[in-house]
Amino acid sequence: MFGKRKKDQPSGSEFHQADSEQQLFAQLLAETRADPEKVFTIDMVGRGTPGRDLDEQVERLRRSGVTASHPPATEAAADRSSARADPSADELVPLSRQPFTAETGDVFFIPDGGGRVLLGHVLATLHDAVYVAVFERPEDLPRPADPLVVLATQPVVAGLTLPARFQPGMWEVVGNVAPDTARLLPAYTWGTDLDGVHVTDFSGSHSRPATEIEATTIPRRIVVSPYFIDIAVRAVVGLVDWHPDFEHLRYRSTPRSVDLFPDR
């Protein structure tokens, strides 16, 4: 399992390798727990089994100019704090939850950087990663309002990330509601033109060769640091400029897992 890591410096990409998707997400979780403001984007470009299969794919990537990166394998405790956002918007009270953990269905507050909060929802978990959607309250929705009404709208930001910002003062869980996965979980593509592009369901458990149209229209599986989600939220509310790197986090109605794998 490997991916291209786009660094926060303008010097290009690094190659990031792990023996499995589970190991890769565990490494990324360790990085983001050690530094909750770390910024990175990883494009999942391939799969392989440890040994010759993976080594051959790695060598092809190296020849394309991507260099190796080896993240730290140990975890370090986060030692940062930030102002607690006012949760009074919906009169919800933070629940007791272990830091750095999240469960499918968790509803949480995500601060917008300006003293208010948006509502987030954990739609699914994948090993140590979480797929979250962030919802902006419609202007015509009065306060206080049923959070279920907000969660039924279209997200403004959605992406696969790590739960390192699920802690007091950052992303605080305020409830748990069964997510509408059929409506919101996307399908993905992975692979390269050299090895062939495949389309997969969200979990990655079912995959098939992509058609020419699917290869160019269905998004790739991209993992971002949780702080990147925070920055994109601040851009949505106008506190920072919208950057082209946020485009893969902007929610779009792309083909869903249930569309391409309806019987799974």
Side-chain angles (χ1 to χ4, degrees), residues 21 44 47 126 185-191 197-210 214 218-221 255-258 260-261 264:
E21 188 172 70
M44 309 288 279
R47 295 179 176 182
L126 188 62
L185 279 189
Y188 291 117
T189 52
W190 61 272
V197 178
H198 287 68
V199 62
T200 181
D201 64 351
F202 174 82
S203 69
S205 57
H206 302 286
S207 184
R208 61 168 172 78
E214 288 172 340
I218 296 178
R220 302 183 68 86
R221 186 192 297 276
R256 304 166 301 176
S257 283
V258 296
L260 301 184
F261 300 90
R264 305 299 183 181

Side-chain angles (χ1 to χ4, degrees), residues 231-246:
I231 300 173
V233 166
R234 294 174 194 178
V236 164
V237 300
L239 291 180
V240 300
D241 292 336
W242 185 265
H243 193 276
D245 283 350
F246 300 154

